[in-house]
Amino acid sequence: MTRMAFDTRTQNAWKELIEKEAMTRVSWHRTFKPNPNDDEWFKRGFYTQATEKPVNRSLPSIVFPPRPKPRYDPNDTLEELAKKLDLEHNPNALKEMYPADKRHKDVLFDGFSKEEKGRYKYLNLRKVIPPENKYQYPVSNTMEYGWKLGESGQEFKAPTHARGKIVEESFYRRNGVF
């Protein structure tokens, strides 16, 4: 916790806050103060009603959602799970990432990164591919936010009644000067 520099302005602000709080307390007491002529039981009831909230003795019943069905039987062996996943016909079922295309692998072994070939070009080609086409499922939580976003079919267009860049497009030069 950092310390505040208490100059005159800060001290006056604190003083004002304390005074406001004190005035609020006094005004509340004036509003809810019982008359001295009232009976003691009335005073007690009045203060109790003004200061305490009514307590609900019964708690609401909590309804839990049903438990999800298990995806697999914990008693299954690895061989039985492999049969269910059909690993013989689908060897990529347990892998996170799809294997790279043959043409991408060929680029990987063609040249040096210093010449912007080989690994450099391979990584740039893979960067263009969306994650949905590289991975079978979202590997991290951050990937889930945009997963399958391209399938939603949203095309962003300029609003019809919004302001346009008429001055910028017609007045300023395109090469960055002015």
Side-chain angles (χ1 to χ4, degrees), residues 21 85 124 131 165 171 177:
E21 186 176 338
L85 287 173
N124 282 333
K165 297 182 178 182
F171 182 71
V177 180

Side-chain angles (χ1 to χ4, degrees), residues 4-31:
M4 292 174 33
F6 270 95
D7 55 351
T8 308
R9 195 170 82 188
T10 312
Q11 286 177 346
N12 289 337
W14 272 100
K15 183 179 175 183
E16 185 180 337
L17 285 172
I18 291 169
E19 287 174 358
K20 279 185 180 179
E21 186 176 338
M23 289 303 296
T24 305
R25 288 180 179 174
V26 169
S27 66
W28 183 90
H29 187 67
R30 282 183 186 162
T31 305

Side-chain angles (χ1 to χ4, degrees), residues 56-145:
N56 191 0
R57 298 290 178 197
S58 63
L59 294 175
S61 61
I62 299 173
V63 179
F64 293 105
R67 290 185 180 260
K69 296 177 183 176
R71 292 189 223 172
Y72 63 93
D73 185 15
N75 300 327
D76 284 348
T77 61
L78 287 176
E79 292 80 21
E80 293 172 355
L81 288 174
K83 288 178 185 175
K84 287 181 182 178
L85 287 173
D86 195 22
L87 290 179
E88 296 171 358
H89 296 92
N90 188 8
N92 297 327
L94 296 178
K95 295 180 181 175
E96 294 174 351
M97 188 179 243
Y98 292 120
D101 293 341
K102 176 76 171 134
R103 57 188 169 99
H104 289 134
K105 284 185 182 178
D106 293 341
V107 169
L108 180 62
F109 300 109
D110 182 35
F112 298 102
S113 292
K114 190 173 183 180
E115 301 169 350
E116 295 187 359
K117 293 182 179 179
R119 181 172 172 257
Y120 178 84
K121 191 172 181 182
Y122 169 79
L123 291 174
N124 282 333
L125 287 173
R126 291 288 286 180
K127 185 172 38 173
V128 175
I129 301 171
E132 294 90 11
N133 296 344
K134 287 192 283 189
Y135 296 93
Q136 293 190 19
Y137 52 89
V139 179
S140 63
N141 288 340
T142 55
M143 290 175 81
E144 291 178 7
Y145 288 110

Side-chain angles (χ1 to χ4, degrees), residues 34-49:
N35 292 331
N37 299 334
D38 292 337
D39 292 335
E40 186 64 33
W41 65 272
F42 183 78
K43 289 181 193 176
R44 223 178 307 130
F46 189 85
Y47 265 112
T48 307
Q49 184 181 10

